[in-house]
Amino acid sequence: MTICIAAIAENKKILAITDKMITMGGGVATRYEISENNKAIQLTNKSIGLFSGNVLSANEILSVAREKIKSNSNSSTLSVLDVAELIKSSYFEYWATMLNNQVFCRYALTLETFMQNQKNLNDDLVKEINNILANTNVGVDILVAGVDSAPHLYLIQNPGTLNSFDSIGYALIGSGSQHAQLSLIENEYNACISEKNGIYALLEAKKRAEYDPGVGQLCDLVIIGNTFNKVTPEKTSKIVHEFSESSVELKRIKEEKATNIFNLVYAS
């Protein structure tokens, strides 16, 4: 229950926006917004990780990945793909650990020993476990966006698959994605868009995503170019206010034009 968008602008920058809603599952779903909720995690000097889904699992995966990045002897020169691969491996390790704790411990096995010894195990047991593997989902999507020699967008999903969205120019995750994507399509968003128009388009897409009840009104905005710039809450508040004023003006223009069209329909 969220919206996270990362996009390329001017073929050299990354723009990212997220909401700040927290959704707790259980018998009764609970949703609330807090300004401290951070879905945009800085990974390196020029890359960021955005997540949707299970907050605890996502933070655990990203925490492990950040330690891997930090301990890498070439951390200062890691490409965005290198960073994404480290998150991919952390994601798979989390998935495997979850299976070991919840499934394989019953059979005195691990995922690794199961994969190595399937031929020697009971057929029904193998079928049952493979069915569990196919249906076990961490419930987390992670977007990695950043700039090295060029801007890049990577999506990591269960159980640790990685896909590039560079050719599309933007990527979205979360329950508000469908609404937000329609907005980006209507704005003809592409990787060549200017930074100022790109920021406005992301604000518009974020606003559209709020039609989904799991998407909050608060937001974080990040821009990565020559430097990593996470816009302060004070500036973000002013930006959202300015955007809201433009929305009011657009509604006024729409009403004016609707009246003109109506008059033309019935003009003699």
Side-chain angles (χ1 to χ4, degrees):
M1 296 294 186
T2 188
I3 184 62
C4 297
I5 309 170
I8 297 170
E10 299 180 355
N11 283 317
K12 61 181 180 180
K13 296 181 179 181
I14 288 291
L15 311 176
I17 192 167
T18 78
D19 75 335
K20 300 175 81 66
M21 181 76 84
I22 293 178
T23 302
M24 305 298 289
V28 178
T30 303
R31 302 185 183 98
Y32 57 96
E33 292 185 271
I34 55 172
S35 58
E36 292 78 14
N37 186 24
N38 184 17
K39 299 179 184 178
I41 310 298
Q42 185 172 1
L43 301 171
T44 65
N45 290 337
K46 287 194 175 185
S47 67
I48 192 171
L50 315 173
F51 67 84
S52 68
N54 187 304
V55 175
L56 297 178
S57 297
N59 279 302
E60 178 65 23
I61 292 166
L62 287 169
S63 177
V64 171
R66 291 177 78 186
E67 285 301 314
K68 289 182 180 180
I69 293 167
K70 185 178 178 181
S71 62
N72 190 292
S73 58
N74 299 313
S75 59
S76 61
T77 59
L78 288 175
S79 68
V80 182
L81 179 57
D82 291 334
V83 171
E85 289 285 359
L86 288 172
I87 293 178
K88 173 187 172 181
S89 66
S90 299
Y91 195 122
F92 182 81
E93 289 165 11
Y94 185 90
W95 179 77
T97 299
M98 185 171 71
L99 282 166
N100 287 336
N101 292 338
Q102 297 179 6
V103 179
F104 289 110
C105 62
R106 306 176 197 168
Y107 308 106
L109 291 168
T110 64
L111 176 61
E112 184 178 3
T113 57
F114 170 73
M115 299 303 292
Q116 292 173 346
N117 295 285
Q118 286 190 58
K119 293 181 180 180
N120 302 321
L121 298 172
N122 177 272
D123 289 344
D124 289 337
L125 176 62
V126 170
K127 183 178 180 179
E128 179 183 350
I129 291 178
N130 277 322
N131 185 57
I132 293 172
L133 295 182
N135 290 285
T136 298
N137 197 317
V138 174
V140 172
D141 290 337
I142 298 175
L143 270 178
V144 177
V147 179
D148 39 45
S149 59
H152 298 287
L153 303 167
Y154 297 104
L155 174 59
I156 298 145
Q157 296 176 296
N158 192 78
T161 62
L162 186 153
N163 291 289
S164 171
F165 279 72
D166 291 1
S167 61
I168 298 174
Y170 59 84
L172 312 89
I173 54 175
S175 60
S177 293
Q178 187 171 4
H179 294 296
Q181 185 169 25
L182 288 173
S183 177
L184 292 173
I185 291 171
E186 288 170 5
N187 280 306
E188 299 180 353
Y189 197 101
N190 63 83
C192 300
I193 196 170
S194 67
E195 181 179 350
K196 67 177 183 179
N197 289 333
I199 292 171
Y200 191 93
L202 260 62
L203 287 165
E204 204 164 21
K206 159 66 173 54
K207 185 65 178 177
R208 181 79 71 86
E210 291 173 20
Y211 282 112
D212 184 282
V215 176
Q217 295 183 350
L218 298 176
C219 68
D220 277 326
L221 181 63
V222 175
I223 301 166
I224 306 174
N226 294 327
T227 59
F228 185 101
N229 177 20
K230 186 169 185 179
V231 181
T232 65
E234 294 76 18
K235 282 187 178 180
T236 300
S237 179
K238 292 178 181 178
I239 289 166
V240 171
H241 177 73
E242 190 73 19
F243 172 77
S244 297
E245 286 191 340
S246 74
S247 298
V248 171
E249 182 64 16
L250 287 171
K251 287 179 181 178
R252 185 195 64 77
I253 294 170
K254 183 178 179 180
E255 181 65 24
E256 178 185 314
K257 295 304 178 183
T259 300
N260 292 345
I261 291 168
F262 179 82
N263 291 335
L264 285 170
V265 169
Y266 288 100
S268 57

